[in-house]
Amino acid sequence: MSIRRIEELDVKGRKVFCRLDLNVPLTEDRRVADDTRIQAALPTLEALLERGAKVIAASHLGRPKGKFEESLKMEPVGVRLAELLNRDVICTDDSVGDGVKKVVSDMRDGQIVLLENLRFHPEEKKNDPDHAKRLAELCEIYVNDAFGAAHRAHASTEGLPRLVQERAAGE
């Protein structure tokens, strides 16, 4: 089986779910302490954004054990990502649901949305098929750039890609 690359995809104007590994350490005042993993995701994100994709960035942060934890919200990651990309990053307050669907449906070409911590839902780690379906409803294309988490059979790394016709590896 050959692995498709993002250059092979027609992404202009299309919603691309980009599974990233943005699990970075935060300081006590909730700033990114080390942005190495965010920097590593930039080539994939920039390639998609420059080609007019509507990028839905998703990651986990820490180990919230399937429940909301204020200290593990993705907002500080979104702030740093916006600085590095030199563009606005819209952070959602969840990773699934009607509010997220609305934000995604309102996206413009070349815009990026960062979903809330995927692991706030216990269904993520359980690879729940209904949860994977809710994630898949957000996108047309799946790109895996979370190579550090790709071996895990979670909804965003295993269940979701099975439900999306077009898939590729990130940069």
Side-chain angles (χ1 to χ4, degrees):
M1 176 175 92
S2 67
I3 297 173
R4 292 182 76 186
R5 300 192 42 119
I6 58 176
E7 298 84 26
E8 299 173 49
L9 301 173
D10 177 17
V11 299
K12 180 157 181 55
R14 297 178 73 200
K15 294 176 278 192
V16 179
F17 189 102
C18 196
R19 180 54 164 98
L20 306 169
D21 184 2
L22 304 178
N23 186 21
V24 298
L26 301 176
T27 63
E28 283 187 26
D29 64 346
R30 301 215 5 92
R31 295 182 193 275
V32 173
D34 179 354
D35 67 5
T36 303
R37 289 182 177 178
I38 300 172
Q39 294 268 0
L42 294 179
T44 294
L45 293 172
E46 289 169 340
L48 292 168
L49 292 166
E50 287 170 7
R51 292 177 49 218
K54 299 173 183 180
V55 176
I56 303 151
S59 180
H60 71 280
L61 183 63
R63 295 184 175 158
K65 298 183 179 164
K67 61 183 190 284
F68 175 82
E69 278 191 43
E70 183 73 30
S71 64
L72 296 176
K73 288 181 67 168
M74 296 298 294
E75 189 263 339
V77 176
V79 168
R80 184 64 184 136
L81 187 58
E83 291 169 353
L84 293 168
L85 287 171
N86 196 32
R87 68 172 68 213
D88 291 337
V89 173
I90 300 166
C91 294
T92 63
D93 60 2
D94 204 343
S95 56
V96 292
D98 291 339
V100 175
K101 283 184 189 178
K102 172 72 171 130
V103 170
V104 169
S105 72
D106 291 343
M107 291 178 76
R108 296 180 315 274
D109 296 0
Q111 196 168 37
I112 182 170
V113 166
L114 177 62
L115 301 182
E116 188 52 88
N117 194 333
L118 291 167
R119 291 191 185 167
F120 283 172
H121 292 272
E123 299 89 352
E124 166 66 10
K125 284 182 74 174
K126 292 177 183 174
N127 196 10
D128 178 82
D130 291 329
H131 188 67
K133 183 179 177 192
R134 286 191 297 273
L135 292 170
E137 289 171 351
L138 299 174
C139 66
E140 301 163 79
I141 299 171
Y142 177 85
V143 171
N144 187 351
D145 197 72
F147 302 114
H151 66 287
R152 302 199 182 277
H154 292 173
S156 66
T157 57
E158 201 272 336
L160 165 59
R162 291 179 183 272
L163 300 172
V164 178
Q165 192 86 36
E166 293 185 73
R167 300 173 295 277
E171 294 293 311

